[in-house]
Amino acid sequence: MADPEKRDRPLVLVVDDEPDIRDLVTIRLQQDGYDVIAAEDGATAIEMVRLEHPDAAVIDVRMPGLDGYEVTRQIRADPALVDTPILLLSASVREEEVRRGYDAGADSYIRKPFVPAELREAVRALLERAASKGGGDRSEP
Amino acid sequence: MGARFRGDAPPIYLAATACGVFVTGIGVLVLIGWAFELPALKSLASTLPSMKANMAIALIAIGSSILLLRTGASLLRRSFGRSLGALAAAFGGIVVTQSLFGGIGVDQALFDDPGSASPGRPTVHAALVVACLGAGLVAIDIEKHGTRLSGFLFIAAGTLALAAIVGYAYDVGYLRGQAGTSGMALHTALALSVATVGACVLRPERGLVGFLRGDDPGAAMARVLAPAAVIIPIVLGAARLVAERHLGLDSEVGVSLVVLCTIGLLLGVIAFAAVRVRRAVAERDSAQALTTKVVEGLSVGVAACDREGRLTFMNRELKRIHGIDDEVDTYDRWPDLLNISKPGGISPLPSAERPLLRALGGERVRRDDLNISPEGLVPRSVQVSAEPLEDQDGEVVGAVATITDETGRREAEQIRKQLAAIVEWSNDAIVSQSLDGMILSWNTGAEDLYGYSMEEAIGSHESIIVPADRRDEQRDVMKRVAGAERVDRQETVRLRKDGALVDVSLTVSPMFDADSRIIGASVIAHDISARRQAERMFGQLIEMAPDAVVGIDQAGSIEVVNSKAEEMFGYHREELLWKDMEALVPGALGSGAPERAMLSDAGLDFQGMARPDFERSARRCDGSEFPCEISLATVETDGGLLTMAVVRDVSERKLIEEEADRLKSEFFGLVSHELRTPLTSIVGYADILSEEEGSRFSPEGRHYLEVIKRNTHRLDRLVQDLLLVGQVDAGTFQIQLGVVDVSATAGECAEEFRPVAEQAGVSLTTDLGAVREFMGDQGRLAQVIENLVSNAVKFTPAGGEVVLRVAESNESCVIEVSDSGEGIGDGELGHLFDRFYRGARANTEHIKGVGLGLAITKAIVEAHHGEIEIQSEVGTGSTFRVVLPMRPVESSKLESVRSAS
C-alpha cells in the first residue's frame, strides 16, 4: 500500500499518545470512509509516514517525546514527505499555539473538544486541497 | 505788628537819667542857697524871682522819681519813685488849693522868706506843672489808660513850663505866673522843662516819645515838624519883638515879616519833612518787600486775616499744602477752598474752631492734630499755631497763623517707630556693631539667643559670642562687609553666655552714615539649631531607607544621596554628589525642560506630596542598566526646591513577575490539555454511543445518555469560560474578526434556547433587523447573545416574555435582550459584571451558573470596542443593550486580518 495512487480509499494517519482520543478520531474517520492507520508517538508517526505515504496526517500537538510541532517540522524537512497534508489537533485555545502550528508547517488546525462534523469537514478540505494541487509543489499557507 | 524802634535804647535812657540828675541837682543847689542864704542860688539874679525852698524839694522829689523809675529798675525802687511822684503831686495840689482857698500856714515851715511877694509859696503856675509831673510819674506804669494819662499830663506840664520860658524870653510877666506873686523863677522854669523832657523819655517806647521814635511816615514827619512848630514861632516872635523894640519897626511891618518868614520856613520844613517821609515810606516798603519775600520763601505756611476774619495773606507754602494754584487769587473764595478737617477725620472743622478765627478772639492757639484735605490730594497732617495781631494799644486787629506740613515728618517718624518695633520684637537676633567689633545695639531676640542682656552686650566686643574657632571666619565676613558687600545666610556657630553653642544663619550687611561711609555692620542671626536637628534626623531617615534616595536641585544635579544609592549605582558618595541625575536615570525628571518646569510647579503647589511611581531604566557605574521605579517628592529647603527621588531596583520583581506570567501560562496550558482531552473523549464517545447504539437502549438508557451529554456540554462551556477569563486577565484575549451576519447568529441562538424557554413557560420572541457587513468574531458574538438570552430566560418567571432584537443604527450594531422579569435592584446593578457574582435570587432559587456569563460578555463586547448597558426596573423587567461599532478596528488592519485568515 506504499503507492497512494493505487488506493481506492484515502489513507489517513492518526497520531495521538492518548489511546482514547486516537481511537475516537480513528472511528470517526473510518465512519467517514477513510482507511486509518494510527501511531502513539511522534517517532513512530514519522516512520509510518515514510513507509505508508498517507494521504493526510491528523497529529495531536501535545505528546511526550516528539510533539506535534516537531513531527510536522521533520515531515516538512524531508523532501520525500514534504507534501503530506497535516492537520494539527490541540486542546489549547491559545492563539500563539495555533500560530506555532502553522509556523511548523501544518495545513490545518482543529481544537479539542471537536464535534464530529468539524473533523470531517477539516479532513475533507485538506484532501481536496491536496488533490487540486495534483500532488505537485505545495506553497506555504 | 508792634512798633519798631530805631537806634539803641541806652542813649535815650541815659537822657532820662541826665534829666533826673539835672533836676535833682537844681533842687539841691537851691536848697543849699536857702540854707546858707545865698541869693545867687535862690534867684540867679536879684531882679529875678527866687525859687522857693519847697519848690526845690519838689524838684528833688521829681528828679529822684525820674531816676528811680528808669527802665529796668527794681520793683522796690520803682515803688519808691512812684511815692516820690505822689509826694510832688500832693505838694502841687496843696499849693494850688492854698492859692484858691487861702493859706494853711506851712509855706515858711522850712525857711523864712521875707520880702517876697508871696513868702515861701511858689506860683500856682509852677505848682500845676509839679502836680502834673508828679501825677504823670505815678501813672506812668499803669497799663493803657495810665500811660495815656501820664502822656497828657506830661504834655500839659511841658506846655506850662514852656510858657514860663517864653514869658522870660519875651518878658511877659503873665506868662511867668506874675499874677499876685513874683512869678516863676527862671531856673524853676528851666528845671521843670528839663523834668518834663526826662519824664517823657522815661518810657521811650510808649506814648508821645514812642510815637516820635517810630519809623512810620507819620513819626518821620512829626520828628521834623514838631521841633519846627516849637522853634519857628518862638524865634520869629522874639525876632519881631527885638526888631520892633530896638529898631523901631512898625508892628504892621513886624507882623508881615513874621507871616512871610513863617510861610517860607514852614514850606521849607514841610518840604524837608516830605522828603523824610518819602524816605521812611520807601524804607518801610523795602522792609515789607523783604518780609514778604522771606515769608513767601518759608517752608512753613503762613496766613493772616484782618479784624473781620477775611484772609489777607497766604504764602506759597500754604497754597501748596492746600493744593491751590500759586497764581490763583484765592482770597475771595476762602474758606471754601481750605479744607481743614478734624483730627483723624474727613469732617470739616467748624469755622468757629479754626485757629485763625479763634486767634481773632485774642487767644493763642496751637494744634497739631488737624488735617488739611485738599480736593483730590492726599490729606496732610499739619501743625497750626495762630496768634492775634495787636496794635500798639493791645487791640486785636487781625490774626496770623503758621501751618507746618507734618505729613512727611510724621510718616518718617511712624516708619522709624515701626522699624524700631520690628527690630525690637523680631525673633531673630539683630545686632549692630562697629567695624572693629564693638556691639552698638542688641535687641530682645539677641538677648534670647545669646543669653546676654542688652546692658551686658552693648559696648562689649563681638568676641563674647564668636567661638574661638570661628574668629577667622568672622574676620573674613567683616572684611567683606567693610568692602560694602552683604553676606547672606552664612551658616555658622555662635557661643551663648552659658557656654553652649548654637547653630545660626547670619545675614551681615554694612551700615552707612549720612555720607555713605561704612560705619559698621548689622548682623541678623537666625537660630537654625532646630532645623539642623531636623536635618540630621532627616539625613538619618534617608540613610536608613531601604531604597536609594537621591535629592536633586533645580538644575538637576544631585545634592543628597544615601548609602543604598551608592550601593545601587556602584558609585562612591563623592562621585555621586553634583552629578547630573540624567547620568543615573535618563529621563528621571522628565525628558525636557517643560516637564521639569511642571515638576517644580507641582512641587510648589503640592509641597511634599509624592508623585506617582513611574518606571525607568537606570544605569550603573559600569554602564549596565537595570529597571527601576521612581517616586518623586519635592521639599522646600533654604537652598531652594529639592526634588527627592526614591529609586527602587525592580529587576528582581520583574523576574518574579515574568515567572508568574510563565506559571500562569503553564497552568492554562495544563488546564486546557488535562481537562479538555478527557472531555473530548467523553463527548466523542457519548456521541458515538448514541449514534451507533442508541437504538438498542431502553428509553431510560437513552435518557441517561442525554444527561451525560448535557452535563459534558456544560462542563465544556465552563472550561471554555474559565480559559477565556484567564486570557482576559493575561491580556492575551483576542477576537477573530470576520464578516458576521448578526441577525442570523441571533436567530440560531433563539432557536437553540426555544426549547429551554418553552420548558420554563417563557415566551421568546425575536425582532431581527438586517445588519450589513458587520466585522466581528462570530463565535464570541454568539456567546454574548447566548449569555444574555440564557440569563433572561433564567430570571423570567413562567408566563413572562423575553424579546431579542438586533438592529443597525448610527454605524452601530445594536443587540438588545429585554425580559419581563423581576428587574435588578440598584444594589445589584453595580456588581452584575463582577466575576462569580450571582444575584440574590440566583442563589435562593437554585438557578444554575457560576457567575461568569456577564463578566465574559462584557470582555467580549469591550474587545469589539463596544458598550453594554442595562436598564432595569424592579418588578417590570430588565433590558440589556449591547452597542457594537460596525468596524471595531481600522479598515487597513481588517485587510490584514482577512488575508491572514
Side-chain angles (χ1 to χ4, degrees):
Chain A
M1 303 240 303
D3 186 359
E5 304 301 323
K6 301 248 172 87
R7 290 179 204 132
D8 45 350
R9 291 203 297 186
L11 180 69
V12 179
L13 169 66
V14 174
V15 189
D16 200 320
D17 59 317
E18 292 264 350
D20 292 347
I21 304 289
R22 200 166 61 225
D23 291 350
L24 180 65
V25 175
T26 303
I27 293 165
R28 281 304 183 193
L29 289 176
Q30 284 171 342
Q31 282 178 342
D32 291 341
Y34 301 109
D35 282 334
V36 181
I37 52 173
E40 60 178 15
D41 60 60
T44 317
I46 292 166
E47 198 56 34
M48 289 176 83
V49 170
R50 214 165 262 150
L51 288 173
E52 303 287 340
H53 290 281
D55 295 286
V58 176
I59 307 168
D60 184 36
V61 166
R62 192 168 300 215
M63 289 184 296
L66 297 179
D67 64 10
Y69 305 127
E70 192 51 39
V71 173
T72 307
R73 225 170 278 129
Q74 290 197 9
I75 290 171
R76 291 281 179 258
D78 189 333
L81 314 177
V82 70
D83 289 337
T84 312
I86 297 172
L87 171 71
L88 284 180
L89 198 55
S90 168
S92 172
V93 293
R94 297 177 62 159
E95 284 303 318
E96 61 181 73
E97 294 201 10
V98 179
R99 203 172 307 120
R100 252 179 96 188
Y102 284 121
D103 287 349
D107 297 290
S108 192
Y109 197 105
I110 62 171
R111 298 177 207 212
K112 292 193 272 189
F114 49 87
V115 292
E118 258 180 294
L119 179 68
R120 187 188 303 134
E121 199 50 40
V123 173
R124 194 180 55 78
L126 204 60
L127 288 171
E128 267 176 14
R129 208 177 325 159
S132 70
K133 288 185 179 165
D137 289 332
R138 12 176 339 117
S139 54
E140 292 298 311
Chain B
M1 221 176 282
R4 277 171 289 173
F5 306 110
R6 51 179 11 215
D8 297 316
I12 201 149
Y13 294 132
L14 283 178
T17 307
C19 292
V21 169
F22 177 80
V23 173
T24 311
I26 297 278
V28 169
L29 284 174
V30 171
L31 215 53
I32 290 168
W34 278 98
F36 298 101
E37 287 295 331
L38 300 172
L41 292 178
K42 285 197 279 188
S43 52
L44 296 178
S46 55
T47 53
L48 293 174
S50 64
M51 191 196 291
K52 303 302 179 213
N54 41 22
M55 177 53 78
I57 290 169
L59 281 179
I60 290 169
I62 285 171
S64 305
S65 175
I66 289 170
L67 286 173
L68 288 167
L69 280 170
R70 75 170 198 277
T71 304
S74 70
L75 203 63
L76 184 68
R77 284 186 178 196
R78 278 193 281 170
S79 304
F80 190 38
R82 273 198 293 278
S83 307
L84 290 172
L87 188 68
F91 167 73
I94 289 168
V95 171
V96 172
T97 312
Q98 278 186 2
S99 43
L100 291 177
F101 306 108
I104 53 170
V106 292
D107 294 346
Q108 299 182 73
L110 292 169
F111 301 101
D112 291 334
D113 185 16
S116 170
S118 52
R121 185 183 297 174
T123 58
V124 173
H125 192 137
L128 271 173
V129 175
V130 168
C132 286
L133 280 175
L137 286 170
V138 169
I140 197 161
D141 279 336
I142 299 171
E143 283 294 319
K144 267 192 162 180
H145 299 298
T147 307
R148 207 170 280 177
L149 177 66
S150 65
F152 281 121
L153 290 172
F154 292 153
I155 288 169
T159 310
L160 288 174
L162 196 63
I165 290 170
V166 169
Y168 272 106
Y170 297 175
D171 197 16
V172 181
Y174 183 75
L175 284 175
R176 302 199 301 256
Q178 261 175 327
T181 62
S182 49
M184 194 192 296
L186 177 58
H187 46 336
T188 304
L190 282 172
L192 286 176
S193 299
V194 170
T196 306
V197 170
C200 282
V201 299
L202 202 51
R203 297 287 180 266
E205 70 277 15
R206 290 206 293 254
L208 189 62
V209 177
F211 170 71
L212 283 175
R213 283 163 50 84
D215 64 350
D216 55 303
M221 195 171 71
R223 277 197 297 276
V224 175
L225 291 183
V230 174
I231 293 162
I232 290 171
I234 291 175
V235 170
L236 286 179
R240 182 186 158 192
L241 283 179
V242 168
E244 280 182 3
R245 284 181 194 161
H246 299 289
L247 303 177
L249 241 64
D250 289 342
S251 78
E252 288 81 2
V253 176
V255 169
S256 307
L257 282 175
V258 165
V259 166
L260 283 175
C261 288
T262 305
I263 289 169
L265 282 170
L266 270 179
L267 284 175
V269 168
I270 286 169
F272 181 69
V275 170
R276 293 293 293 270
V277 166
R278 175 175 291 182
R279 196 179 297 158
V281 167
E283 219 166 90
R284 203 178 66 162
D285 282 353
S286 75
Q288 199 157 11
L290 180 68
T291 310
T292 308
K293 213 166 198 171
V294 169
V295 173
E296 281 292 357
L298 284 178
S299 58
V300 171
V302 177
C305 69
D306 64 13
R307 166 190 332 251
E308 271 79 41
R310 283 189 299 259
L311 195 67
T312 52
F313 178 76
M314 250 177 115
N315 75 345
R316 199 173 294 144
E317 170 68 5
L318 188 59
K319 287 178 181 172
R320 186 192 69 75
I321 297 173
H322 280 295
I324 299 169
D325 191 346
D326 193 28
E327 300 305 318
V328 176
D329 182 16
T330 54
Y331 300 123
D332 292 344
R333 288 159 63 201
W334 189 75
D336 303 338
L337 285 170
L338 309 186
N339 299 308
I340 303 174
S341 55
K342 279 182 177 173
I346 309 145
S347 52
L349 195 69
S351 62
E353 279 187 42
R354 289 198 158 162
L356 203 56
L357 299 183
R358 278 175 63 185
L360 276 183
E363 87 184 279
R364 285 167 166 265
V365 186
R366 185 188 168 91
R367 295 190 71 162
D368 47 14
D369 55 354
L370 296 181
N371 290 327
I372 289 179
S373 317
E375 214 168 306
L377 292 175
V378 181
R380 330 280 317 171
S381 314
V382 291
Q383 188 190 71
V384 183
S385 300
E387 53 187 278
L389 281 178
E390 291 167 2
D391 66 3
Q392 286 157 347
D393 304 323
E395 202 148 306
V396 176
V397 293
V400 63
T402 57
I403 297 97
T404 317
D405 186 351
E406 298 274 83
T407 315
R409 195 184 62 75
R410 281 188 201 169
E411 279 171 3
E413 175 69 8
Q414 192 134 8
I415 288 169
R416 198 193 63 73
K417 276 185 187 162
Q418 282 170 354
L419 285 178
I422 288 169
V423 167
E424 186 52 26
W425 299 109
S426 166
N427 283 328
D428 290 339
I430 302 177
V431 174
S432 61
Q433 58 180 68
S434 62
L435 286 176
D436 55 9
M438 191 68 72
I439 293 167
L440 305 171
S441 78
W442 191 260
N443 73 341
T444 1
E447 292 187 338
D448 292 345
L449 183 62
Y450 300 123
Y452 290 99
S453 70
M454 192 173 82
E455 291 76 20
E456 289 171 309
I458 290 179
S460 303
H461 193 257
E462 60 170 10
S463 55
I464 60 169
I465 53 165
V466 180
D469 59 339
R470 298 286 182 163
R471 299 262 157 86
D472 289 344
E473 178 193 271
Q474 177 67 7
R475 205 167 302 130
D476 287 346
V477 167
M478 291 308 287
K479 210 176 281 172
R480 285 164 66 190
V481 169
E485 194 181 333
R486 174 188 152 115
V487 179
D488 223 358
R489 293 198 203 167
Q490 163 115 11
E491 298 202 350
T492 183
V493 176
R494 283 288 176 264
L495 187 64
R496 289 174 49 88
K497 189 184 180 186
D498 58 15
L501 292 173
V502 57
D503 290 311
V504 292
S505 163
L506 294 184
T507 299
V508 189
S509 322
M511 293 193 305
F512 300 93
D513 69 2
D515 300 327
S516 301
R517 278 186 308 237
I518 296 172
I519 50 162
S522 74
V523 184
I524 302 173
H526 183 63
D527 182 356
I528 55 166
S529 42
R531 202 193 73 203
R532 274 286 160 85
Q533 177 126 21
E535 277 173 4
R536 279 192 281 271
M537 264 175 63
F538 180 64
Q540 276 168 5
L541 276 175
I542 284 178
E543 199 54 34
M544 277 159 49
D547 294 320
V549 178
V550 181
I552 307 137
D553 70 9
Q554 270 160 311
S557 54
I558 296 171
E559 266 190 22
V560 177
V561 286
N562 66 351
S563 44
K564 185 74 187 172
E566 291 179 278
E567 187 190 314
M568 187 179 289
F569 292 100
Y571 289 100
H572 283 296
R573 193 169 293 241
E574 297 69 38
E575 295 173 302
L576 279 175
L577 288 175
W578 309 118
K579 212 176 183 59
D580 197 322
M581 187 60 185
E582 286 293 300
L584 294 187
V585 184
L589 302 175
S591 51
E595 273 187 70
R596 281 195 191 190
M598 185 197 72
L599 178 67
S600 10
D601 285 351
L604 286 174
D605 290 347
F606 308 103
Q607 191 186 356
M609 270 180 64
R611 280 165 54 78
D613 293 10
F614 53 96
E615 275 190 37
R616 299 273 182 212
S617 180
R619 198 175 293 148
R620 291 195 190 87
C621 162
D622 59 12
S624 59
E625 298 204 346
F626 61 96
C628 69
E629 205 172 68
I630 293 189
S631 313
L632 295 178
T634 51
V635 185
E636 190 87 57
T637 69
D638 278 2
L641 201 64
L642 201 61
T643 304
M644 300 301 297
V646 179
V647 184
R648 176 171 296 175
D649 182 346
V650 293
S651 37
E652 209 163 299
R653 201 182 69 194
K654 283 266 165 175
L655 283 179
I656 293 170
E657 279 172 3
E658 278 164 23
E659 177 67 7
D661 270 354
R662 202 181 57 76
L663 287 172
K664 208 168 171 183
S665 305
E666 233 166 54
F667 172 74
F668 278 113
L670 192 76
V671 167
S672 306
H673 195 259
E674 297 307 317
L675 285 179
R676 305 187 77 194
T677 301
L679 262 176
T680 308
S681 293
I682 297 168
V683 171
Y685 286 102
D687 281 346
I688 292 170
L689 191 62
S690 64
E691 287 165 24
E692 304 282 311
E693 309 290 331
S695 54
R696 293 199 275 135
F697 279 16
S698 66
E700 284 85 1
R702 279 199 292 279
H703 172 66
Y704 301 151
L705 196 59
E706 275 310 304
V707 172
I708 293 171
K709 284 173 75 177
R710 199 170 64 236
N711 282 289
T712 310
H713 188 65
R714 261 182 71 194
L715 188 57
D716 181 32
R717 282 292 292 266
L718 178 59
V719 169
Q720 281 190 34
D721 284 354
L722 281 172
L723 284 171
L724 196 144
V725 168
Q727 282 178 313
V728 170
D729 276 358
T732 56
F733 176 61
Q734 286 176 332
I735 51 174
Q736 302 297 307
L737 290 180
V739 178
V740 181
D741 185 339
V742 183
S743 291
T745 309
E748 282 165 26
C749 284
E751 285 319 306
E752 197 180 325
F753 275 92
R754 202 169 298 283
V756 185
E758 273 166 15
Q759 209 175 347
V762 174
S763 97
L764 172 60
T765 55
T766 54
D767 174 7
L768 306 173
V771 179
R772 293 163 296 110
E773 286 278 311
F774 177 77
M775 289 298 297
D777 185 322
Q778 179 168 22
R780 298 303 182 194
L781 284 175
Q783 215 175 333
V784 166
I785 298 167
E786 278 167 23
N787 280 338
L788 294 178
V789 173
S790 158
N791 274 348
V793 171
K794 268 190 241 175
F795 290 96
T796 303
E801 73 170 340
V802 170
V803 183
L804 167 63
R805 288 185 201 90
V806 171
E808 184 184 335
S809 131
N810 295 335
E811 283 298 301
S812 298
C813 169
V814 181
I815 303 166
E816 212 174 72
V817 178
S818 308
D819 63 53
S820 60
E822 296 290 311
I824 304 158
D826 284 346
E828 289 194 283
L829 268 178
H831 296 290
L832 277 186
F833 296 104
D834 293 354
R835 271 174 219 164
F836 304 109
Y837 178 81
R838 284 162 53 79
R841 279 179 50 238
N843 287 327
T844 53
E845 295 178 20
H846 304 289
I847 289 170
K848 292 168 192 165
V850 290
L852 281 174
L854 281 177
I856 286 167
T857 300
K858 187 161 185 256
I860 294 170
V861 168
E862 283 173 357
H864 281 85
H865 301 279
E867 283 174 12
I868 182 165
E869 58 188 49
I870 307 163
Q871 290 166 345
S872 185
E873 211 168 300
V874 174
T876 312
S878 313
T879 296
F880 286 72
R881 185 185 167 90
V882 171
V883 181
L884 302 170
M886 295 296 284
R887 298 270 183 281
V889 289
E890 295 151 36
S891 47
S892 60
K893 280 189 183 172
L894 270 179
E895 290 309 313
S896 64
V897 168
R898 272 177 184 169
S899 60
S901 60

